[in-house]
Amino acid sequence: MEITFDISEDELPVFLAEADEHLQVLDDSLIRLEREDADAELVQTVFRSAHTIKGMSGMIGHKRMTALTHALETVLDGVRKNSIQITKPMINICLEAVDHLRLLRDEIITAQTCDLNIDEMVKSLKDFIEGTKHEPSQPVPDNGHEKNTARAVPENGNQSGQNVEPVNSNGSVAGQGSKAVQIQAKIDANGMASAARAFQLMMALQDMGDIQSMSPSQAQIETSSAVSDFSAVVATAQPLEKIRAALMTISGVDEISIDGKVILSNGSIAAEVEPAQQKQSIAPEKKPALPTKLSGLANERRAATPFGRRSADMTIRTNVERIDNLMNLVGEMITDRNHLKQLHSRLKRINGTYDQIFETITHLGRITDQLQEEVMHIRMLPVSSSFGKFPRMVRDMAEKVGKKIDLVIRGEDTEMDRSMLEEINDPLIHLVRNSVDHGIELPEVRLAAGKPERGTLTLTARHEQGRVILTVEDDGGGIDGEKLRKNAIQKGLITAEEAASLTEEQSIDLMFMAGLSTAQKVTDISGRGVGLDIVNTNIQHVNGSIQVETKLGKGTRFQIILPLTLAVVPALLVSICHSTFAIPLVMITETLRLEKNDIVYVNRKPVTRLREKILSLLYLSDIFNLPESRDEKKYTFAVVVQSGKQRIGLIIDSLLGEEDVVVKPLGAFIGDVAGISSAAILGDGQVALIVDVFGLFKLAGI
C-alpha cells in the first residue's frame, strides 16, 4: 500500500542519515549493555536515541514508526528508572524492535508499506513490560554521571524564577539549589525542519534539568508543524555557561536569550545585554565581554546538523557521480602531467636551458598531486561504516550456535576508498561467519582445553606502506591441514598424489577451493562449501591478496592486503618485446636481474633459486604471444609478485620506472583478456595494459 510522509527531497537524505546513526547507536549500545555492567550514562544514550527517532518519525507523520519507537522507549525508560532488569530476553526483544525500525525506515524511501505486523511487535513490548512488574528490579549503578529524564513536558509550570526542587520522572529530586531559568528562541519557520530545531532545543534543555513549562508543547512539536517562537522554563542546577554552550551548538536558530540576556542574534553570537527591566537603569554598568570559551562556538553551531548531531568537521552532501566525474578529471590531469615530464626530459637532452619550463612543470605536478590527494580523501570512508554491523551480527550468530564470543574492533577510524569498502564488505562477512562457526569452539570444549569459556574475535584495520591491512583473528581451534587434505580428496578436488606433495601452507590454502567445507553439518551460517572461495575471488578483483596464519589449538588470523584505491594505481612500467605493461606495485615484492645460467628448467618449467628457495618463473612474452629472441640477451629481469604466500617471477625485457597510472576499463568491445585486468594511458599517449597478477597465477597453475 502506498504511503506518504511530510518530508521534502532536501530533508530526506538528512533524515535517513540521522535515523541510520541512531539505529546503529541502539544496536551497539544494547549489545554493550548485555556484555558490560549496567551504566547510567550508557542507558541514557540508548534512551535518547530511541526518543530522538520517535520525535523524528512523528515530525514526518510516520505513525507506525512512532508507535513502535514509543513502545521501545517505554521499555528503555523502565531500565532507566530501575524497574526493568537488563537481561538477555530484554536485550533480545529490544534488538528485534530495532530490526523492525530499520524496515520501517525503508518505507520512507519506497513510499510503500512493508509487510510487518507492527501491532504485534508493540504488543510484545507491552507484554514484556507487564511481565516485569512483579519481578524484583536490578538497580542500575550510578557511576557519577547525572541522570536526566526525557518525559512529556507539561503545558504550564513554575515560571517565577525562584529556587525550586524539581522532581524528575523517576521520583528523584533534581538537586538542591536548582533555579528556574527562562529560555526564549526564534526559529525561521520557513527554514528546513523548523520543528526539528524546536525538538533539538527541548532535548538540550532536558539534558540540563527538568522542564517546568514549554511552548509549543512536546506533542505540538511532534506534529511537525512549523515553529517560529520557542520558550521554556527549566529547573536546573547547571551553571548558565553550560546551558549557553549547549544551546549555541544548535543550528538553524536565529535568536536565543537566557533570562532576558540575548546570546544569539540574527544567527550570530551577540554581546551580552541586560534584561529589559534593567535597561531602564539611569547609570548602566559596563558589561563584561563574553568569556573566551565562547569564541569557538560559532564554528560549533555551523558544524551541527539539523537533527542535533555534531561532527568534528564541516561536511556537505553531494551526488557520488559528481565525485567520480571529478576523479576522472583529476585522472586526465595526471596523464597530462606525466606527458609534460616526458617532454621536458626530451627537450633537456637537446638544450639544457629549459629551467622555467621545469619550474612550471614542477609546480603543476605539485598542484596535481595535492588535488589528487584531496579528491582521494573525499572518496575515503572510515572502515567503521563496515565494521559497525559486526557487533550485532557476531552476537546473534554466537547465540544461534551456542557459543560465547567477545568481539574486539581496532582501527575503525582507518579510511579507505568507498568503492573498495563496498567490494570488501562481503569477504569480511564471510570471514567473520567462518570464525564464529568454524574457528571458535563451544564453551565446554574451550574449558576442557584450558581456555577461557568466552572466545575472542578481533577485527583490525590499519594503514601500512600505502596499503590498507585488514585482519580477522580468532583464538579458536585453528585449521587442521590434514583434515583439509582428506576432505579435498574425498570430494574429488585433488588426488591423493597431489595431496601428498602439498606443504602445510599449501594445505591451508585448500580452504579457498570452491566446494570445500569442513563443517560437520550444514547450518544457515555455513557448511555448504561456499564462502571462502568467494572471499578470495572478491579480494583478487580489487587487486588485493589474503594470507592465512593458523596454529592448532591457538587460533587463526586472516590478513587482507588492499590498495588504497582502484582509481589511480601506483605501478611499475615494464617493457616486453617493445610493448609497455604496468604491474601494480601493491603486488610486487622485489625485482631481480638474472643471468642466463640463473634460469634452469624443472619438469619443463623455468625456475631460479632465490635465497635458498625455488622461485617459479613465467615468461610474459609466452603468456601474451609476443615474439622474443631470448638467446641474444646476456641477462634478463624478473618482477617477483606475491598472492597470499605464493610467489612467482615474471620475466620481462626491461624496467621502465614507476608511475601513477589512471585505470581505464577495457570495455565490452574488447571483453575479458586472460592476464590483463585493465588499461592506462601514459604520458606519451601510449596505452599500457595493466597486468592481472592473479590471472597469471591461474594461467601458470600455481
Side-chain angles (χ1 to χ4, degrees):
M1 183 177 71
E2 190 171 348
I3 185 171
T4 58
F5 301 102
D6 185 16
I7 187 169
S8 68
E9 290 185 8
D10 291 335
E11 295 172 337
L12 181 60
V14 178
F15 180 94
L16 295 176
E18 294 297 323
D20 288 341
E21 178 177 321
H22 287 294
L23 288 170
Q24 189 63 53
V25 168
L26 284 173
D27 255 350
D28 296 343
S29 300
L30 285 168
I31 292 171
R32 283 183 59 195
L33 280 177
E34 182 182 38
R35 287 201 316 247
E36 304 169 7
D37 292 334
D39 178 88
E41 185 177 14
L42 184 57
V43 171
Q44 183 69 9
T45 298
V46 181
F47 179 84
R48 279 180 57 85
S49 287
H51 187 67
T52 302
I53 293 174
K54 186 184 80 169
M56 291 167 58
S57 58
M59 289 175 203
I60 66 171
H62 198 331
K63 296 180 180 179
R64 300 211 304 162
M65 195 173 191
T66 303
L68 178 55
T69 318
H70 178 72
L72 173 62
E73 180 190 45
T74 305
V75 174
L76 298 174
D77 194 39
V79 174
R80 197 175 56 152
K81 295 175 182 176
N82 304 328
S83 62
I84 294 179
Q85 288 185 342
I86 298 175
T87 60
K88 184 174 285 294
M90 174 262 172
I91 297 294
N92 285 340
I93 196 168
C94 288
L95 288 174
E96 186 179 355
V98 174
D99 290 338
H100 280 59
L101 287 174
R102 280 197 170 90
L103 295 174
L104 293 175
R105 172 259 191 209
D106 293 341
E107 288 184 347
I108 305 171
I109 303 174
T110 62
Q112 295 289 327
T113 304
C114 65
D115 187 20
L116 268 183
N117 190 336
I118 298 303
D119 293 338
E120 184 177 324
M121 187 71 238
V122 170
K123 184 177 182 301
S124 297
L125 289 165
K126 289 181 178 178
D127 290 345
F128 178 81
I129 296 171
E130 289 296 322
T132 60
K133 284 185 177 179
H134 305 292
E135 297 177 3
S137 64
Q138 177 70 32
V140 178
D142 189 348
N143 61 355
H145 296 284
E146 182 183 354
K147 294 183 183 178
N148 300 315
T149 62
R151 57 184 176 81
V153 179
E155 296 288 347
N156 298 301
N158 188 326
Q159 300 188 33
S160 64
Q162 298 176 357
N163 287 354
V164 294
E165 288 188 356
V167 179
N168 290 332
S169 56
N170 62 4
S172 63
V173 177
Q176 297 290 336
S178 295
K179 67 176 181 178
V181 177
Q182 177 77 42
I183 307 295
Q184 291 182 318
K186 291 187 180 297
I187 304 170
D188 182 3
N190 297 321
M192 187 177 74
S194 61
R197 317 298 188 195
F199 183 82
Q200 191 177 346
L201 287 166
M202 182 192 73
M203 295 293 288
L205 293 178
Q206 285 174 342
D207 281 346
M208 296 296 104
D210 194 68
I211 298 178
Q212 302 295 294
S213 66
M214 187 174 74
S215 177
S217 66
Q218 180 176 345
Q220 290 172 330
I221 292 174
E222 291 179 354
T223 63
S224 194
S225 300
V227 178
S228 59
D229 293 298
F230 175 91
S231 63
V233 175
V234 58
T236 178
Q238 299 293 340
L240 293 180
E241 192 64 40
K242 187 171 182 179
I243 300 173
R244 175 163 39 194
L247 296 178
M248 293 292 283
T249 61
I250 300 172
S251 63
V253 182
D254 291 337
E255 184 176 308
I256 301 176
S257 63
I258 302 177
D259 284 341
K261 296 181 181 180
V262 178
I263 64 170
L264 184 75
S265 179
N266 295 323
S268 302
I269 296 176
E272 285 189 89
V273 297
E274 292 293 335
Q277 63 270 25
Q278 293 186 10
K279 286 184 180 179
Q280 299 174 3
S281 173
I282 297 176
E285 297 180 5
K286 187 177 179 180
K287 310 304 183 293
L290 281 173
T292 307
K293 286 191 292 184
L294 283 178
S295 60
L297 286 178
N299 289 333
E300 287 192 45
R301 291 189 70 256
R302 288 193 294 269
T305 58
F307 290 99
R309 179 182 61 175
R310 239 182 1 211
S311 59
D313 301 315
M314 294 179 64
T315 61
I316 59 171
R317 297 182 185 276
T318 187
N319 193 301
V320 170
E321 291 182 2
R322 291 183 177 177
I323 303 299
D324 291 339
N325 291 337
L326 184 58
M327 190 64 229
N328 289 334
L329 293 174
V330 172
E332 296 297 329
M333 286 190 66
I334 293 172
T335 301
D336 288 342
R337 178 201 62 186
N338 295 339
H339 189 194
L340 285 172
K341 285 183 177 179
Q342 291 187 4
L343 287 175
H344 176 264
S345 298
R346 294 175 186 174
L347 290 171
K348 192 174 182 179
R349 286 195 295 269
I350 299 172
N351 190 329
T353 61
Y354 290 96
D355 292 340
Q356 291 183 347
I357 294 179
F358 176 73
E359 290 176 3
T360 303
I361 292 173
T362 303
H363 183 252
L364 176 62
R366 186 162 58 247
I367 292 175
T368 304
D369 289 341
Q370 291 175 355
L371 181 58
Q372 176 192 351
E373 185 176 350
E374 290 300 322
V375 173
M376 291 306 305
H377 281 307
I378 293 174
R379 290 171 57 94
M380 294 289 184
L381 286 176
V383 297
S384 57
S385 59
S386 181
F387 281 8
K389 69 172 75 66
F390 289 116
R392 172 74 186 278
M393 183 186 298
V394 170
R395 184 253 183 200
D396 290 347
M397 288 191 298
E399 187 171 315
K400 188 172 291 186
V401 296
K403 297 180 180 179
K404 297 180 179 180
I405 301 175
D406 292 326
L407 177 65
V408 178
I409 296 178
R410 299 191 181 103
E412 61 266 33
D413 293 334
T414 303
E415 292 186 334
M416 60 190 300
D417 193 296
R418 60 166 184 82
S419 59
M420 188 79 68
L421 204 55
E422 292 168 2
E423 294 286 347
I424 206 64
N425 189 52
D426 285 345
L428 282 175
I429 291 175
H430 281 302
L431 291 175
V432 169
R433 291 165 71 95
N434 184 74
S435 291
V436 171
D437 204 31
H438 291 309
I440 297 177
E441 314 94 328
L442 290 166
E444 56 270 22
V445 176
R446 292 180 63 85
L447 289 173
K451 291 184 174 182
E453 183 182 29
R454 302 186 66 87
T456 301
L457 176 60
T458 305
L459 294 179
T460 306
R462 71 180 189 276
H463 285 149
E464 184 179 291
Q465 297 179 347
R467 303 178 296 177
V468 178
I469 312 293
L470 304 178
T471 60
V472 180
E473 185 175 2
D474 64 67
D475 64 346
I479 301 171
D480 190 339
E482 178 63 26
K483 190 175 182 180
L484 285 170
R485 288 193 292 269
K486 289 181 179 178
N487 274 270
I489 295 171
Q490 290 174 0
K491 295 186 177 183
L493 300 175
I494 59 173
T495 64
E497 292 75 16
E498 290 173 332
S501 65
L502 295 177
T503 64
E504 187 65 21
E505 291 181 354
Q506 292 171 332
S507 298
I508 299 301
D509 287 339
L510 289 173
M511 72 173 68
F512 295 111
M513 296 183 70
L516 184 64
S517 175
T518 58
Q520 299 297 320
K521 61 180 180 179
V522 174
T523 69
D524 58 353
I525 294 180
S526 62
R528 292 180 173 84
V530 295
L532 290 182
D533 60 315
I534 297 175
V535 168
N536 201 27
T537 301
N538 285 12
I539 292 173
Q540 291 177 2
H541 180 67
V542 294
N543 292 327
S545 63
I546 183 169
Q547 299 178 4
V548 187
E549 297 178 10
T550 185
K551 190 172 183 181
L552 280 177
K554 299 295 184 182
T556 303
R557 182 174 74 165
F558 293 91
Q559 181 170 273
I560 303 172
I561 304 171
L562 301 165
L564 281 175
T565 179
L566 296 176
V568 179
V569 175
L572 175 65
L573 299 182
V574 300
S575 175
I576 307 169
C577 302
H578 307 294
S579 296
T580 303
F581 292 83
I583 305 174
L585 282 178
V586 70
M587 309 299 303
I588 300 174
T589 60
E590 59 186 305
T591 57
L592 307 172
R593 193 178 82 163
L594 301 175
E595 302 288 343
K596 185 177 179 180
N597 57 4
D598 290 333
I599 302 175
V600 297
Y601 286 80
V602 177
N603 295 328
R604 295 186 173 182
K605 292 184 178 181
V607 298
T608 190
R609 184 181 295 276
L610 178 62
R611 290 187 288 275
E612 305 306 319
K613 290 186 177 180
I614 299 300
L615 176 69
S616 297
L617 301 175
L618 188 65
Y619 282 91
L620 289 185
S621 58
D622 291 344
I623 295 296
F624 300 133
N625 295 318
L626 299 173
E628 182 182 13
S629 177
R630 300 173 194 163
D631 296 332
E632 297 177 359
K633 295 181 297 184
K634 283 187 176 181
Y635 56 83
T636 188
F637 293 94
V639 179
V640 182
V641 293
Q642 183 167 338
S643 172
K645 294 185 178 179
Q646 301 296 321
R647 294 192 302 172
I648 189 173
L650 306 179
I651 301 297
I652 59 166
D653 292 343
S654 60
L655 304 171
L656 302 180
E658 297 180 12
E659 189 170 302
D660 290 344
V661 297
V662 182
V663 179
K664 302 288 184 181
L666 294 176
F669 181 76
I670 298 178
D672 294 333
V673 178
I676 300 296
S677 63
S678 49
I681 301 175
L682 302 180
D684 57 3
Q686 291 188 56
V687 175
L689 297 176
I690 300 177
V691 174
D692 176 13
V693 174
F694 297 105
L696 294 181
F697 272 90
K698 292 180 180 178
L699 290 173
I702 296 178

